[in-house]
Amino acid sequence: MSLKKIDPTKTKSWDNLNSHYKTIKSSSISDFFKENPFRSDDFKIEWEDFYVDFSKNIINSKTIKLLIELCKEVDLKNSIDKYFGGVKINSTENRSVLHTALRSKEKIFLENIDISKNVKEVKSKLKKFSNKIISGKFKSSSEKKITDIVNIGIGGSDLGPIMVTHALKHYSNHLKIHFISNVDGDHVVETLKKIDPETTLFIIVSKTFTTQETITNANSVKKWFLSKYPNGDVSKHFIAVSSSIEKAKKFGISENYIFPMEDWVGGRFSIWGSVGLSIMLSIGPDNFEEILEGAYEMDQHFKDKPFEENIPVILALISIWYNNFFNAETEVVIPYSEYLKLLPSYLQQAVMESNGKNYDRNGNPVSYETGNIIWGSTGTNSQHAFFQLLHQGTKFIPSDFIGFIEPLNNKNDHHEKLMSNFFAQTEALMNGKTEDEVLKELNELKYSEDNIKRVLPFKIFQGNKPSNSILINKLTPKSLGKLICLYEHKIFVQGVIWNIFSFDQWGVELGKKLANNILNEIQSDIIFTHDESTKNLIKKFKKNS
Ligand code: F6P
């Protein structure tokens, strides 16, 4: 009943795509535009407030047709139905994958139990609690209003909340939201410097309540809290988001203040429920509801639209096209908004923890590339950092440009300048600059022949670098919900096609275990067997610490 186990490379479409690749790989995107004046209309999807232009890619209508045939051959539709239907598609952990239930308006049954009821109850508890904190009705141990919130969590229990609270700062209220994630004590100390324990609420977010970083940080913060505020009541200042109720209670958290996380919600897809509490506190329940509404609408789009008009499907396919046929090693995401500064790091966990897998769903090693490497940073800053390599480096790096038509703060002509850069960069990446164009320019600038010879090759831009442009009307809680959800479904589609399990993360376990062993060695005289390099590093550290 789980996902089908079809090796994509054994399909007819894969063979066809391979042959097609040979005929199209050296084609020029700008020539495509010259040949087809309607290209930008042919390769775009306009949906609600989203305008997704994928015309600046090394694709033609045959590419899309073949990629969609691939979806049909691996029975993507069947996988989508299983995903939304609560089938245990996270087979290696024997779990359903139902973060979509957290934003759904329909009844959802899991093993004949209507889980939507429970989702509603938890949401209503989160809203009531948030309203109390925001309005100041909730009082601290010394009857003061809460002014600061500290989210203590890591990975999915941090990256989503921090990314979204930053992205929606424009919509935020008076509460100051802080995040402690790294087990690095400096992170703890620097955050604690900014807060007053008497007016701070700490949210310990950990699905398992065993994660080393989170529990160490929570314990240190509790110790600090009690030393600074001896009359402070831990049960009033520490709350938890967890599926491990007993462990949270043991820490000193009152059962009333434990917000549950279900086992069918993976950490990196969890912002839509209790893990989103810091987001709800920051922007209020109504705005939080808008995020869910946006995601719900994208869910409907993904479920219902034919693949040709389906934004997550098309973006997933283009990414597979480059990853598996052009051998692209990475993909860059460039939001033209400082509010979306943390989106690339959020996507790194979502994409790479999900699809960084080297065994297929049959349990065999894969013979093809899977998970893309995702990186990026905001425009225009990144133009002055890594764009040189995008334009003239030797790597082939497809990109996603994300921007907004309407600014949230328009001072003078900042937004026009910002977005001119967005459009200019996608154009420059595609068109490049030919030798003739450079020559003409240098002649116009009256360069001597010698000087022209000296600089000419360095001023040439090869061009033909593909990009997708995701242009959204305005950054709102709702459009952000849609955007995050778009990438969630893109990840899903890719995992289905690559025939891998996207919803486990066994790859993070080994390092965790070894770190615990080494910690024992550092804190005692026991010495385990290590390679010489690791042994010497530990020795050097022990001697000096
Ligand atoms: O790094 C692995 C991981 O399990 C992530 O998937 C998860 O988001 C993170 O650790 C935090 O886990 P927890 O919420 O259980 O503390």
Side-chain angles (χ1 to χ4, degrees):
M1 258 298 263
S2 183
L3 297 179
K4 292 189 176 176
K5 300 173 177 180
I6 300 166
D7 179 342
T9 62
K10 301 271 159 47
T11 60
K12 207 166 142 235
S13 0
W14 197 273
D15 281 347
N16 291 338
L17 281 161
N18 256 327
S19 318
H20 174 62
Y21 165 72
K22 286 176 195 139
T23 66
I24 200 178
K25 65 176 182 194
S26 313
S27 305
S28 136
I29 312 173
S30 17
D31 284 351
F32 285 149
F33 276 95
K34 284 174 204 145
E35 289 154 17
N36 175 8
F38 306 106
R39 183 173 170 88
S40 89
D41 282 329
D42 291 349
F43 296 95
K44 72 146 202 281
I45 300 174
E46 263 187 292
W47 169 75
E48 298 188 354
D49 48 345
F50 276 51
Y51 180 98
V52 179
D53 176 347
F54 54 99
S55 61
K56 292 191 186 89
N57 280 294
I58 310 173
I59 56 167
N60 58 21
S61 45
K62 187 170 177 191
T63 325
I64 297 294
K65 187 174 154 275
L66 293 177
L67 287 165
I68 286 174
E69 274 169 20
L70 175 65
C71 292
K72 291 185 179 153
E73 270 194 86
V74 300
D75 209 351
L76 176 62
K77 182 78 188 76
N78 175 276
S79 298
I80 296 175
D81 292 344
K82 285 178 173 162
Y83 171 33
F84 282 88
V87 173
K88 292 189 173 174
I89 60 170
N90 178 1
S91 305
T92 54
E93 293 179 337
N94 198 28
R95 288 176 182 159
S96 303
V97 177
L98 272 174
H99 47 275
T100 51
L102 299 173
R103 58 226 186 189
S104 178
K105 292 180 183 167
E106 287 97 44
K107 284 193 171 170
I108 293 170
F109 289 89
L110 192 58
E111 283 157 0
N112 296 323
I113 296 167
D114 177 8
I115 57 164
S116 40
K117 255 187 175 165
N118 181 258
V119 168
K120 258 195 199 153
E121 273 167 29
V122 173
K123 194 158 72 175
S124 134
K125 189 176 163 188
L126 287 164
K127 285 183 177 180
K128 268 191 204 143
F129 181 74
S130 299
N131 280 331
K132 266 170 116 185
I133 300 278
I134 297 169
S135 65
K137 278 193 189 131
F138 180 100
K139 295 283 185 307
S140 75
S141 297
S142 41
E143 295 299 310
K144 289 187 175 163
K145 289 180 187 174
I146 296 296
T147 57
D148 291 72
I149 309 288
V150 181
N151 187 98
I152 307 175
I154 196 163
S157 300
D158 166 72
L159 288 162
I162 195 171
M163 184 275 282
V164 176
T165 46
H166 187 84
L168 298 179
K169 239 188 167 82
H170 180 76
Y171 301 87
S172 65
N173 52 36
H174 60 283
L175 292 171
K176 292 194 252 359
I177 320 282
H178 313 265
F179 292 86
I180 297 179
S181 51
N182 201 330
V183 75
D184 180 353
D186 298 344
H187 199 183
V188 180
V189 168
E190 290 303 328
T191 311
L192 297 182
K193 274 184 195 168
K194 298 181 209 156
I195 55 167
D196 173 355
E198 276 194 53
T199 57
T200 300
L201 179 79
F202 300 93
I203 315 176
I204 306 171
V205 187
S206 178
K207 187 173 173 182
T208 53
F209 223 83
T210 55
T211 305
Q212 185 200 51
E213 292 90 336
T214 304
I215 302 309
T216 307
N217 288 337
N219 281 322
S220 300
V221 170
K222 185 163 89 172
K223 214 165 150 196
W224 170 87
F225 172 84
L226 290 171
S227 71
K228 294 274 172 198
Y229 186 20
N231 298 327
D233 178 353
V234 169
S235 72
K236 274 202 138 185
H237 287 259
F238 286 77
I239 65 166
V241 171
S242 185
S243 47
S244 233
I245 313 291
E246 286 314 310
K247 290 195 178 95
K249 271 166 56 185
K250 231 173 159 185
F251 181 89
I253 293 168
S254 140
E255 193 156 4
N256 280 342
Y257 294 140
I258 302 175
F259 298 88
M261 249 182 113
E262 303 298 338
D263 83 334
W264 35 263
V265 178
R268 54 194 176 275
F269 302 102
S270 62
I271 55 158
W272 320 100
S274 303
V275 172
L277 179 56
S278 54
I279 304 171
M280 197 186 270
L281 286 164
S282 165
I283 58 172
D286 290 347
N287 279 322
F288 189 84
E289 197 58 59
E290 284 288 294
I291 303 179
L292 299 183
E293 178 66 31
Y296 174 73
E297 286 177 16
M298 182 57 87
D299 285 340
Q300 304 316 301
H301 169 90
F302 177 57
K303 274 199 296 190
D304 300 340
K305 285 283 176 196
F307 295 154
E308 292 81 353
E309 299 161 36
N310 195 312
I311 304 171
V313 172
I314 290 293
L315 293 188
L317 292 176
I318 291 173
S319 163
I320 286 188
W321 176 232
Y322 293 130
N323 186 63
N324 295 91
F325 298 91
F326 283 76
N327 295 323
E329 288 156 345
T330 76
E331 248 170 52
V332 64
V333 177
I334 309 151
Y336 275 69
S337 161
E338 275 306 292
Y339 286 123
L340 294 190
K341 182 176 158 177
L342 300 176
L343 183 68
S345 52
Y346 169 78
L347 290 178
Q348 283 181 330
Q349 187 202 17
V351 173
M352 302 208 274
E353 199 164 87
S354 300
N355 286 339
K357 310 287 164 65
N358 56 7
Y359 271 74
D360 69 14
R361 289 199 289 269
N362 298 298
N364 298 322
V366 293
S367 57
Y368 45 88
E369 292 292 328
T370 61
N372 335 63
I373 298 168
I374 293 287
W375 59 290
S377 154
T378 54
T380 58
N381 293 14
S382 51
Q383 292 176 199
H384 299 271
F386 57 73
F387 267 57
Q388 164 64 37
L389 185 143
L390 295 188
H391 286 292
Q392 289 188 315
T394 54
K395 304 265 187 288
F396 177 73
I397 306 174
S399 49
D400 278 1
F401 281 68
I402 302 167
F404 300 92
I405 297 174
E406 208 184 305
L408 293 181
N409 308 287
N410 202 11
K411 286 268 175 317
N412 307 320
D413 55 357
H414 284 266
H415 197 64
E416 286 84 347
K417 285 181 178 158
L418 176 75
M419 293 307 287
S420 313
N421 274 283
F422 171 130
F423 304 133
Q425 289 297 335
T426 63
E427 197 173 32
L429 285 167
M430 172 177 77
N431 289 335
K433 203 170 183 184
T434 62
E435 188 174 335
D436 284 350
E437 284 167 335
V438 178
L439 200 59
K440 189 166 168 258
E441 186 183 274
L442 295 179
N443 278 322
E444 276 166 12
L445 289 168
K446 308 239 173 316
Y447 268 50
S448 68
E449 231 173 82
D450 272 0
N451 268 346
I452 290 181
K453 242 192 204 161
R454 193 170 50 82
V455 297
L456 183 82
F458 308 105
K459 289 185 168 263
I460 294 169
F461 289 61
Q462 268 177 347
N464 225 29
K465 319 273 185 193
S467 66
N468 296 309
S469 295
I470 303 173
L471 190 59
I472 304 166
N473 284 357
K474 189 176 172 183
L475 176 57
T476 61
K478 192 168 172 179
S479 65
L480 183 70
K482 290 178 190 171
L483 183 69
I484 299 169
C485 182
L486 185 176
Y487 278 101
E488 284 185 352
H489 295 324
K490 175 183 169 187
I491 293 165
F492 173 78
V493 171
Q494 294 189 303
V496 169
I497 293 178
W498 286 326
N499 192 28
I500 53 175
F501 287 119
S502 300
F503 298 100
D504 59 20
Q505 57 285 317
W506 301 108
V508 295
E509 295 305 319
L510 177 63
K512 282 188 197 171
K513 201 165 168 231
L514 293 186
N516 277 333
N517 291 346
I518 293 176
L519 181 64
N520 273 337
E521 292 171 62
I522 290 173
Q523 293 179 338
S524 71
D525 289 331
I526 318 165
I527 296 286
F528 292 118
T529 330
H530 294 286
D531 59 88
E532 279 306 294
S533 157
T534 312
K535 200 158 79 189
N536 286 335
L537 286 165
I538 298 170
K539 249 200 218 157
K540 172 93 181 146
F541 176 80
K542 267 183 103 164
K543 217 197 254 168
N544 296 299
S545 68

